[in-house]
Amino acid sequence: MLKVGICGCGSISEFRHIPEYADRPDVVLAGYFDTARERAEKSAQRYGGKVYDTAQALLLDPAIDAVSICSSNKYHYEQVMAALKAGKHVLCEKPMTTDTKKAAEMNAAAEKAGKKLMIAENFRVAPAHLKAKKLVEAGEIGNIQTFRAVFGHRGPEFWSAEKKDTWFFKKDQCFVGCTGDLGIHKIELLRWLLGSEVKRLAARIATLEKKDGDGNPIGVEDNAVTLLEFDSGIFGTLAASWTYQGDEDHSTVLYGSEGTMKIYDHPQFPITVTRSDGEKSYYETGRIPTNDAQFKTGIIDAFVDCVINDTPPLVSGRDGMEDLRVVETILRAAQSGQWEENK
């Protein structure tokens, strides 16, 4: 049995990590830590396991084999490093840390320890994305030329346990806003779908609407629009937003030489393909989890399986570092107002 500890018992743990671990017959939820102790106690009462007084106590406990790091972004580095040095496998929420130098150190520590370091990018296991990858590789729409990717919802305060006092709004705890919360999902997805790395980009970010619990504008961006150019020559736009009202927008559109593929853009069919001759195909694959509709993501299964079977992580620490590099470049380009090389 794999004994798992949870570091950070907020919404992402409550609705995704913890229940998905509990669904595995080969996993025991062994321990929990949260700065708000009552959250950890609530999880322990429901699923069993021990409540720890500090993150270090959980991470260093030899009775725990693997951990999920679900704390605010600024704590990822120190908690992941402590867990790896203590000989534990790690599943870390995105973004993996606050800068690529720290990300490189985390990857080196995982290699030295001989332990798995996986990033919790659930878009990689969303059913329509898996199907889309196969269709792209089969040449369903020819050579991809451009794209349009969007991820937006009404904001983390409607999801986070702290509501308007959420750490997502505090720059000293997250370092980045909707770009690191939502945009990074699409960055990872595009790198994987296109099989290419971001070469350069231009970006605009802004805080248009969100205010903290005191009524002041938040310290990070709530909207971002980026023009991305990949090494392959493919280019397109990425929009991330915390101010989209109504349903979440997870859409990705790929424009190819022989057709157009729309992913999570149709209310009934997760994938639609329109070919250059006008012929259309509709694919009924599974849905994607949203803040308002929670169900199994598959990312926990992927992590547990890679640990138990000693296989490479689905989304590696290197992937997490490259995703973070793009986020850093977006912030740099938004500040300079110029095209920036992704390096």
Side-chain angles (χ1 to χ4, degrees):
M1 299 289 283
L2 188 70
K3 296 177 181 178
V4 174
I6 306 295
C7 205
C9 298
S11 295
I12 196 69
S13 291
E14 179 182 0
F15 295 113
R16 296 188 179 171
H17 286 248
I18 295 174
E20 291 187 33
Y21 280 123
D23 195 47
R24 296 276 309 210
D26 49 1
V27 168
V28 172
L29 282 159
Y32 314 84
F33 167 77
D34 195 279
T35 52
R37 186 181 176 89
E38 63 273 14
R39 293 183 203 147
E41 290 175 343
K42 178 182 175 182
S43 296
Q45 288 168 6
R46 182 171 182 183
Y47 297 99
K50 178 181 176 180
V51 174
Y52 291 79
D53 293 329
T54 66
Q56 284 293 103
L58 183 153
L59 297 171
L60 297 179
D61 189 341
I64 291 177
D65 305 312
V67 293
S68 267
I69 303 298
C70 302
S71 49
S72 55
N73 298 343
K74 79 170 185 176
Y75 296 115
H76 288 184
Y77 172 76
E78 63 183 66
Q79 292 176 355
V80 169
M81 293 294 281
L84 291 170
K85 288 178 181 178
K88 304 187 191 317
H89 302 286
V90 179
L91 176 63
C92 182
E93 270 296 328
K94 51 74 195 169
M96 67 183 290
T97 186
T98 55
D99 65 66
T100 50
K101 181 179 178 181
K102 289 180 179 178
E105 292 176 15
M106 292 158 75
N107 285 322
E111 184 174 352
K112 181 178 180 180
K115 297 298 177 180
K116 310 296 183 185
L117 172 57
M118 179 168 153
I119 311 304
E121 281 286 359
N122 63 287
F123 274 33
R124 283 277 294 272
V125 288
H129 295 154
L130 293 171
K131 180 65 174 179
K133 177 71 168 176
K134 292 180 180 178
L135 292 173
V136 167
E137 291 176 342
E140 186 75 3
I141 59 171
N143 297 320
I144 298 172
Q145 298 168 336
T146 62
F147 62 84
R148 171 174 59 82
V150 180
F151 190 8
H153 58 51
R154 57 183 180 153
E157 72 271 34
F158 296 98
W159 153 265
S160 174
E162 301 92 350
K163 305 305 177 187
K164 280 197 172 183
D165 195 39
T166 177
W167 62 266
F168 284 95
F169 288 173
K170 300 173 182 178
K171 190 171 184 177
D172 65 331
Q173 293 192 43
C174 62
F175 98 92
V176 67
C178 64
T179 308
D181 179 36
L182 304 182
I184 198 167
H185 278 298
K186 286 300 177 84
I187 291 166
E188 167 60 26
L189 176 66
L190 288 166
R191 291 180 52 246
W192 175 66
L193 274 179
L194 304 179
S196 184
E197 299 293 346
V198 175
K199 179 180 180 181
R200 63 175 188 155
L201 59 85
R204 172 80 165 91
I205 66 173
T207 306
L208 302 178
E209 173 187 307
K210 295 300 180 184
K211 293 181 171 58
D212 61 24
D214 296 323
N216 300 313
I218 64 174
V220 292
E221 80 283 358
D222 61 19
N223 276 270
V225 177
T226 304
L227 178 58
L228 298 160
E229 181 181 335
F230 284 77
D231 288 334
S232 59
I234 301 169
F235 67 93
T237 59
L238 165 61
S241 177
W242 281 341
T243 65
Y244 286 5
Q245 303 306 311
D247 295 337
E248 292 187 16
D249 189 345
H250 295 86
S251 61
T252 303
V253 183
L254 305 177
Y255 302 97
S257 58
E258 298 176 26
T260 297
M261 181 185 301
K262 295 184 177 181
I263 310 165
Y264 289 123
D265 189 58
H266 189 284
Q268 181 179 354
F269 301 104
I271 300 178
T272 62
V273 173
T274 303
R275 296 175 185 80
S276 53
D277 60 3
E279 181 183 351
K280 294 189 176 183
S281 297
Y282 301 89
Y283 297 88
E284 294 189 59
T285 63
R287 300 174 298 158
I288 191 169
T290 69
N291 289 354
D292 297 322
Q294 299 297 329
F295 53 88
K296 195 170 185 177
T297 64
I299 202 68
I300 300 302
D301 284 341
F303 174 61
V304 173
D305 288 344
C306 88
V307 171
I308 291 176
N309 300 320
D310 193 20
T311 54
L314 180 70
V315 184
S316 68
R318 178 195 172 278
D319 287 319
M321 184 173 68
E322 293 308 317
D323 298 336
L324 180 59
R325 190 186 312 281
V326 178
V327 169
E328 288 182 332
T329 307
I330 288 172
L331 298 180
R332 192 166 68 247
Q335 183 175 24
S336 72
Q338 305 290 326
W339 280 91
E340 294 285 345
E341 298 294 317
N342 184 49
K343 59 183 181 180

